[in-house]
Amino acid sequence: MGNGNNWDDLRYLLAVARHGSLSAAARVLGVNHSTVLRRVTALEQAMGARLFDKLPGGYVLTAAGDEMHRVAQKMEEDLAAANRLLSGRDTRIGGSLRVTTVDILTLYILPRHIAAFRRLHPELRVDLVAAEASLSLTRREADVAIRATSRPPENLVGRAVSGLAFAVYGASSYLERAGDAGDLDRHPWVGLDESFEHTSLAQWMKRTVPAASIGYRVNSVAGAVEAVRAGIGLGLLPCGVVDRDPAFRRIGDPVLEADTKLWLLTHQDLRHMGRVRAFLDFMADALTRDRDLLEGRHA
């Protein structure tokens, strides 16, 4: 292990340990199966110990492999930290910026703001990743997160720029046909599936809407918006997305128990990076100007 390829060999160990097979590790690393086997074997020979047991379920670390794995993880974390610190000193407003957010913001709120941002910074490419689950900013899967949450992750820095209100809506065409919007129990509903169980939206639905009334469930708020638009039933939807759309009619005031916050977040090592700072400052201004809409005061 005294040569200059130490970290490169350990990358192969980490990939096999994470993914459980040579072929899965090869796909992630962008090499072929035999390369992974060769590098792992070379590492075992250099260490004088077997690092993996090949079991029917895949490759499993031995006791020696487990010790080596801990060393490799620490090296990976140190390299990622160094990379973040070096990136944080980069003041160029160019290159690319990876942003993760949820589907409703990707589809309905952010595009016009990103268009305006890119008019100011045409050299900067924005890569937007719509994901309900947060990508890791620590491992540099993204540079910036725009999240709808009441409790942002403690390892990130940022600020809440607006509330995000939800209210009950039906499609205007559906309500004209079905009538009596005031009696919510007699309507079918669009709900969210188990992946939203932890959210205030799902908890309000559980308390308020009989399970038998939910005729359609979806694992995305944008999917719920489009289902209500299609006339499947009533739904608890974000005011900032549908209040200005004549295809929807709001029933009552925003539901306070479902209210959440819109956060702009980054990793503390990246907060001074030129492109991160420019994007965060621009979006903070843009989304603060949208507050009346996002907080349900537009209807």
Side-chain angles (χ1 to χ4, degrees), residues 85-94 272-276:
L85 285 169
L86 290 170
S87 296
R89 296 197 187 105
D90 178 5
T91 55
R92 260 183 338 122
I93 311 297
H272 299 307
M273 184 196 284
R275 52 187 180 270
V276 169

Side-chain angles (χ1 to χ4, degrees), residues 97 143-144 266 270-271 273-281:
L97 183 80
D143 301 310
V144 170
T266 189
L270 301 178
R271 67 190 188 280
M273 184 196 284
R275 52 187 180 270
V276 169
R277 187 77 268 143
F279 185 81
L280 289 174
D281 289 346

